[in-house]
Amino acid sequence: MLEKILVANRGEIALRVIRACKEMGIESVAIYSEADVTSLHVRYADEAYMIGPAAAEKSYMDSDKLIEVAKESGADAIHPGYGFLAENVGFAEKCEKNNLVFVGPSSSTLRLTGDKLKCRLTMKRVGVPILPGGEEIVESEDEAVDVAEKVGWPVLVKSAFGGGGRGIRMASNERELRETMRPAQLEAQAAYGKTGVYIEKCIVSPRHIELQLLCDQHGNMIHLGERECSIQRRFQKLLEMSPSPIMDGERRAAVADMAKAAARSVEYTSAGTIEFITDGTGNFYFIEVNSRLQVEHPVTEMVTGVDLVKQQIRIASGEEITIRQDDVEIRGAAIECRINAEDPFNDFVPSIGTVDEYHPPGGPGIRVDTALYRGYTVPVHYDSLVGKLVAWGSDFNEAVSRMRNALDEFVIGGIKTTIPLQKGILEDEHFVQGKISTDFVRNRRVIEKIIQKQAYEMKANEELAVLVAASVWGTPKPTRLLSATQGGQRTLGISRWKAAV
Ligand code: ADP
């Protein structure tokens, strides 16, 4: 068994890994940037090393520095979490060269899964269904149009080295495709350092279903059911659940077989996810391998009772998986809401600042994975995910009720978060009926409905405030209205007052 693990990450995922290490009697080493001096992972780990300035490239993504700290601290392994260097081939190679166990798949697997085009071809070869699309990077608009004409409109322009939904753009016709090529290339360059993009047939309003696998170094492989991640915004996940309302035992087994074939074809080891999209007619198409622990892994943990991080560590230590496929049971249902420090009513601009009030929800089946605390200042430099709220119920309806309560109870003051948006999603009747797709937030006008509701409530509160003020003072005068939820103040004019009296 590994004895000491350097956790090459920050935020909630660093805490998640440190906690697993503690449970397993493994020492943990935290690393942190100048912007994270007051972060919880620094306090919770057994040791902590400052590794550089705030900019991620100079700290959390400085692979040489990480290796140096791992050696200096006597760690025998590195857990990369997700994001940063989690799927970086060069980093995994450096770990291997320096006799440090990389808690994840091998560098050769990462090389293959990180190149989406190569990965698509591999899947095609082993009979895992892929969507029609180009087999090579398209450099020019003309090349892109050629491929699109062959596969049929609409198409997606996708980064060949993508991840996290960034750099994906849709085009419904030639004009849109020509317009979108250059921005897509630039976006890919900014996000992944390479301009390469390819064309893939776009499925309209699909559902995103992914299979969680555990694969050890001895050829054993099990699946832990699926997660549905169809609630997205601009190709990025907002809310995930397990199981998916459209899956039953038979379908799950069939998709799991495809996922296992996909994982075998890239010699996958560790915890990993095979992502599919489905078009509503029962067809599932491979989209990518996520060669890491995923943000949404807790929903699988809640329904299966399997601790994915501990399993990852055991596999990385060379142990065999002791859970048999027949032992895996999907119990009840779990939902995860991503809590991002963003303003959902202002184009999701990142919200930075100090958390001046913090009250996490509780009760049966509730899990909160976060590194927030009162007084913590959310830095500007990193991903906006600041927490994950997970609710488990004996069935989907119970999970929904618990999540609604938990979202109502969750107080994070001082910054804007996606909590109001998540409430809006949970209230939607189609959501409750499981009628979802990746267009759900837009098609159901979730954001617009929340804004309307807020405006209505604000007006009702104003009327009430005027009545109360009028009954207290009687005589008309301008009244200050303090908003409990918006943190603002408004002055009510004398005419409203008079109308009320
Ligand atoms: P990334 O690697 O950037 O995360 P993915 O290939 O995993 O990109 O896709 C992210 C999301 O984009 C998917 O969850 C899905 O919503 C959407 N998507 C991807 N490919 C297609 C497609 N061919 N048709 C429709 N939607 C797609």
Side-chain angles (χ1 to χ4, degrees):
M1 180 58 71
L2 298 171
E3 288 177 359
K4 192 168 189 178
I5 298 182
L6 181 139
V7 183
N9 219 300
R10 62 181 298 282
E12 66 86 22
I13 196 61
L15 295 188
R16 172 73 189 87
V17 178
I18 291 168
R19 286 183 178 130
C21 289
K22 283 192 176 161
E23 279 185 50
M24 298 174 86
I26 297 171
E27 281 185 81
S28 56
V29 180
I31 47 148
Y32 62 102
S33 72
E34 283 169 9
D36 274 337
V37 176
T38 56
S39 290
L40 284 186
H41 72 285
V42 179
R43 279 196 243 162
Y44 287 9
D46 296 311
E47 290 168 37
Y49 293 78
M50 155 92 82
I51 41 147
E57 312 77 63
K58 295 191 173 145
S59 49
Y60 295 103
M61 296 190 72
D62 182 342
S63 53
D64 289 329
K65 185 84 192 166
L66 295 186
I67 302 276
E68 194 187 305
V69 174
K71 291 182 125 181
E72 193 186 316
S73 64
D76 49 9
I78 299 190
H79 193 303
Y82 54 70
F84 292 138
L85 296 171
E87 290 170 282
N88 187 296
V89 183
F91 182 57
E93 267 171 358
K94 276 183 196 164
C95 290
E96 287 160 6
K97 275 192 197 123
N98 285 278
N99 284 327
L100 288 161
V101 174
F102 177 78
V103 183
S106 67
S107 59
S108 52
T109 295
L110 286 175
R111 176 164 287 111
L112 193 50
T113 55
D115 183 332
K116 288 187 144 192
L117 281 165
K118 269 202 197 132
C119 203
R120 270 169 58 83
L121 286 181
T122 309
M123 296 309 146
K124 198 172 165 186
R125 217 183 47 235
V126 297
V128 175
I130 57 169
L131 283 158
E135 300 197 343
E136 279 164 27
I137 284 173
V138 284
E139 307 283 354
S140 70
E141 289 173 21
D142 287 347
E143 279 174 58
V145 172
D146 267 0
V147 181
E149 296 285 356
K150 280 190 198 113
V151 304
W153 306 96
V155 294
L156 289 183
V157 184
K158 294 173 96 173
S159 162
F161 310 96
R166 280 172 301 165
I168 301 181
R169 280 158 182 262
M170 190 176 90
S172 301
N173 51 47
E174 182 176 337
R175 181 185 54 79
E176 281 180 17
L177 181 55
R178 287 186 184 279
E179 277 170 12
T180 213
M181 270 297 283
R182 191 69 197 131
Q185 286 170 326
L186 291 176
E187 213 174 331
Q189 169 76 40
Y192 314 110
K194 297 179 190 172
T195 52
V197 295
Y198 69 102
I199 304 297
E200 189 174 274
K201 169 107 188 123
C202 176
I203 301 288
V204 178
S205 300
R207 295 176 79 128
H208 173 122
I209 306 282
E210 58 187 36
L211 263 286
Q212 176 67 54
L213 300 179
L214 285 177
C215 317
D216 69 21
Q217 296 165 21
H218 309 277
N220 303 305
M221 191 182 279
I222 59 165
H223 77 84
L224 297 170
E226 77 283 354
R227 293 184 286 263
E228 173 150 11
C229 315
S230 301
I231 304 290
Q232 305 185 349
R233 177 186 164 266
R234 295 197 183 153
F235 308 114
Q236 290 172 28
K237 298 165 187 169
L238 282 171
L239 178 152
E240 302 93 347
M241 61 183 75
S242 183
S244 159
I246 59 162
M247 299 293 269
D248 55 22
E250 205 179 318
R251 195 177 260 185
R252 179 171 301 125
V255 183
D257 281 347
M258 291 200 281
K260 286 181 180 175
R264 243 176 245 118
S265 73
V266 295
E267 295 176 10
Y268 200 88
T269 52
S270 187
T273 301
I274 313 295
E275 296 190 331
F276 297 90
I277 52 172
T278 178
D279 58 5
T281 64
N283 296 319
F284 284 75
Y285 303 97
F286 166 88
I287 48 173
E288 69 168 338
V289 181
N290 275 153
S291 311
R292 57 164 195 274
L293 183 70
Q294 284 194 285
V295 171
E296 59 271 27
H297 76 274
V299 288
T300 299
E301 295 186 324
M302 300 290 265
V303 293
T304 61
V306 175
D307 184 315
L308 285 169
V309 180
K310 287 205 260 180
Q311 289 298 328
Q312 264 192 316
I313 294 173
R314 291 206 178 102
I315 292 171
S317 304
E319 288 187 8
E320 282 199 47
I321 302 168
T322 52
I323 309 162
R324 287 172 304 143
Q325 188 65 62
D326 288 347
D327 299 335
V328 178
E329 197 195 333
I330 312 292
R331 268 192 64 243
I335 303 170
E336 173 185 278
C337 287
R338 295 192 186 203
I339 312 298
N340 296 337
E342 291 168 354
D343 184 354
F345 308 116
N346 183 17
D347 204 24
F348 291 79
V349 290
S351 175
I352 48 164
T354 300
V355 176
D356 58 16
E357 206 180 349
Y358 181 72
H359 179 79
I366 298 299
R367 165 173 168 180
V368 184
D369 282 18
T370 181
L372 290 183
Y373 58 89
R374 194 158 77 90
Y376 174 74
T377 299
V378 178
V380 63
H381 315 278
Y382 311 111
D383 192 84
S384 60
L385 182 96
V386 290
K388 302 183 319 204
L389 177 57
V390 189
W392 179 88
S394 54
D395 57 22
F396 183 65
N397 288 341
E398 190 174 51
V400 169
S401 326
R402 287 179 172 172
M403 180 59 92
R404 283 182 182 156
N405 284 344
L407 286 165
D408 281 343
E409 287 177 18
F410 211 165
V411 178
I412 304 174
I415 54 168
K416 298 253 192 315
T417 72
T418 43
I419 290 176
L421 170 64
Q422 299 288 12
K423 284 186 190 171
I425 295 169
L426 265 284
E427 270 165 25
D428 188 281
E429 58 184 297
H430 280 201
F431 176 81
V432 179
Q433 292 159 6
K435 288 197 242 159
I436 54 176
S437 72
T438 59
D439 292 336
F440 175 89
V441 174
R442 201 184 53 222
N443 285 354
R444 296 295 296 162
R445 304 183 66 250
V446 176
I447 296 175
E448 294 80 350
K449 282 184 197 157
I450 302 170
I451 292 172
Q452 259 172 17
K453 195 173 162 206
Q454 281 179 347
Y456 175 80
E457 281 170 2
M458 181 100 137
K459 193 154 177 286
N461 283 343
E462 276 184 22
E463 303 298 346
L464 187 66
V466 169
L467 281 171
V468 171
S471 69
V472 173
W473 289 299
T475 38
K477 57 181 170 189
T479 304
R480 288 248 108 177
L481 181 68
L482 296 173
S483 159
T485 49
Q486 307 298 316
Q489 298 187 7
R490 286 169 22 92
T491 301
L492 294 178
I494 289 182
S495 56
R496 300 276 307 277
W497 176 285
K498 279 188 175 153
V501 178

